[in-house]
Amino acid sequence: MGKMWGDATLPQGMVTFLVGDDEERVEHVSKCALCVRSVFFRTMFGIGMKERDAAEVTVLETDLASFSALVRYLLTDQLDLGEGEGEQARRALVLRQLAHKYQVPRLELLCAQALQESVGPASAVPLLEAAHTTGDGRLLAHCRRFVADHAAEVRASGGVEQLRDLGVAKGLLGDALDQVAELKGALRGHSRS
């Protein structure tokens, strides 16, 4: 917040964001505070940009809870992923994408960490598919390892039935075949001893 002192180029005033198709409101947010916390907002509200003097800015392609969590993080440094395992994982996914878009690298890392910590029997397959879709190799590898190490629990939780992406299914089948080959090799080596 010290960066708000002495910088005459920072915009003054408040902005209201109209979020999503329903234009739900996130009201009275300090433009100055957003600018010192996000390069994206610094550019958006910068000199020569129409948003600098705008009282309202429309934000599409997200939901109110996730965008509010982004704004809350920028203003308070508090990460809010909501309640319940499934909600927290979904919010962390969306919030990580917003953090990337709005150039907030620390929030992006916090969301990535929260996602890895939320991998469990019921969430592993949906998170695996989300990681595949977004190209998050680190989360993808973590989920694949979890599924391989906890196959029975994932299956019992209904994770296999949740699979929708054929590419992910092929990857998991390949992992299973590799494990079978490793086990057969280990058994052959053990029986020779």
Side-chain angles (χ1 to χ4, degrees), residues 89-90 92-94 96-97 111-112 115-116 118-119 123-147 163-165 167-168 172:
R90 189 199 68 75
L93 277 168
V94 175
R96 187 187 60 190
Q97 291 171 329
C111 289
L115 283 168
Q116 286 198 354
S118 71
V119 174
S123 65
V125 172
L127 287 175
L128 179 63
E129 288 185 314
H132 177 71
T133 302
T134 61
D136 184 339
R138 196 170 181 188
L139 181 60
L140 184 72
H142 184 71
C143 290
R144 285 176 68 181
R145 236 182 349 269
F146 184 91
V147 169
L163 259 171
R164 293 182 303 255
D165 187 304
V168 171
L172 289 174

Side-chain angles (χ1 to χ4, degrees), residues 27-85:
E27 296 187 309
H28 310 300
V29 182
S30 167
K31 289 179 182 179
C32 185
L34 293 175
C35 288
V36 298
R37 297 277 290 167
S38 163
V39 173
F40 184 95
F41 284 118
R42 178 69 183 216
T43 302
M44 175 188 276
F45 296 122
I47 295 172
M49 301 300 283
K50 67 178 181 178
E51 289 89 358
R52 183 174 181 90
D53 298 318
E56 295 182 341
V57 173
T58 300
V59 178
L60 300 174
E61 301 175 9
T62 192
D63 61 275
L64 180 65
S66 298
F67 191 78
S68 294
L70 170 71
V71 171
R72 188 174 301 108
Y73 175 79
L74 290 173
L75 298 178
T76 67
D77 213 36
Q78 303 281 322
L79 179 60
D80 176 15
L81 295 177
E83 301 294 323
E85 281 183 41

